[in-house]
């Protein structure tokens, strides 16, 4: 799937995905499909996750915000690549799970915090990279404001017919963006376009 970064391959090889999905769905952990972990919440399929992670270009000294960390799988992998990870989740049950699973996976440099996904976590900003686990319909302005100079935000932008990976980069105070690969990933709650009045 064109994921050529050996650091990402090693990190994904070191973390057991099946530990981060409900036991009833453990057989799907490595399948190339999103796996439901809670109502309307999913673990990204391995291909989409790995390609988005490669797009983020996370370096060993980076501070990373992992948005919608779910059960903590993405944060556990990112913890292998970065200096520190703030794992942000708004669902209380998922926060509890991530708080248990991340230490068990050896991710001592990751901390779990509960809060609104779309608001990010200003207390840890600025971040060198922000990783958004799912598709969004609107430009994530609040998250982009939490990027450090040279920082990257990666996510999937959803249109009417498909989702495409995007990378946003802060350079000299300005935010640039470019599209990358296509993917089929679930929409994240809170990042949908507001529906106006229809007459």
């Amino acid at each position: 799937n064109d994921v050529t970064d050996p650091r990402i391959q090693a990190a994904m090889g070191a973390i057991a995905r099946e530990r981060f999905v409900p036991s009833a769905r453990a057989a799907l952990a490595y399948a190339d499909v999103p796996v439901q972990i809670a109502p309307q919440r999913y673990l990204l399929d391995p291909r989409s996750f790995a390609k988005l992670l490669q797009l983020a270009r996370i370096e060993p000294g980076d501070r990373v915000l992992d948005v919608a960390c779910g059960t903590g799988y993405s944060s556990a992998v990112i913890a292998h690549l970065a200096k520190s990870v703030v794992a942000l989740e708004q669902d209380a049950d998922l926060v509890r799970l991530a708080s248990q699973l991340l230490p068990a996976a050896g991710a001592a440099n990751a901390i779990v915090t509960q809060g609104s996904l779309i608001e990010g976590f200003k207390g840890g900003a600025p971040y060198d990279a922000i990783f958004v686990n799912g598709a969004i319909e609107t430009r994530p302005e609040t998250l982009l404001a939490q990027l450090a100079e040279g920082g990257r935000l990666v996510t999937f932008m959803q249109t009417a017919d498909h989702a495409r990976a995007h990378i946003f980069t802060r350079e000299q105070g300005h935010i640039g963006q470019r599209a990358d690969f296509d993917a089929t990933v679930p929409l994240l709650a809170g990042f949908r376009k507001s529906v106006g009045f229809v007459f």
Side-chain angles (χ1 to χ4, degrees):
N1 287 318
D2 299 324
V3 180
T4 56
D5 187 333
R7 294 174 61 237
I8 293 175
Q9 295 170 0
M12 291 184 70
I15 302 298
R17 272 176 72 93
E18 65 271 17
R19 294 183 183 174
F20 293 85
V21 300
S23 55
R25 297 188 179 93
L28 296 173
Y30 296 93
D32 213 14
V33 294
V35 181
Q36 188 171 24
I37 53 175
Q40 299 182 359
R41 293 297 301 280
Y42 296 82
L43 189 69
L44 291 177
D45 64 276
R47 171 194 176 270
S48 300
F49 171 71
K51 286 175 71 72
L52 193 67
L53 195 53
Q54 184 164 265
L55 192 62
R57 306 189 311 273
I58 294 172
E59 297 294 334
D62 284 353
R63 299 175 70 254
V64 181
L65 175 64
D66 186 26
V67 178
C69 72
T71 55
Y73 172 76
S74 53
S75 299
V77 174
I78 293 169
H80 276 261
L81 307 173
K83 180 180 180 180
S84 62
V85 184
V86 174
L88 177 65
E89 181 50 59
Q90 63 187 19
D91 182 288
D93 291 333
L94 292 176
V95 167
R96 280 192 290 272
L97 277 171
S99 297
Q100 296 165 7
L101 292 169
L102 278 168
N109 58 336
I111 60 165
V112 183
T113 186
Q114 184 173 4
S116 165
L117 304 181
I118 199 167
E119 293 298 322
F121 183 65
K122 295 176 184 176
Y127 302 98
D128 301 298
I130 298 177
F131 188 93
V132 182
N133 285 279
I136 65 178
E137 292 181 324
T138 58
R139 183 175 158 114
E141 300 293 353
T142 305
L143 296 178
L144 291 171
Q146 295 173 31
L147 277 180
E149 179 65 21
R152 293 88 54 209
L153 180 149
V154 292
T155 187
F156 298 95
M157 298 295 294
Q158 179 72 45
T159 60
D161 54 354
H162 72 284
R164 178 169 286 180
H166 275 67
I167 179 168
F168 296 82
T169 308
R170 178 179 292 279
E171 297 288 352
Q172 297 180 342
H174 298 285
I175 301 291
Q177 73 177 87
R178 69 175 173 85
D180 203 274
F181 63 95
D182 290 336
T184 303
V185 295
L187 267 172
L188 270 180
F191 289 93
R192 296 175 184 271
K193 283 183 179 175
S194 57
V195 178
F197 290 105
V198 177
F199 295 97

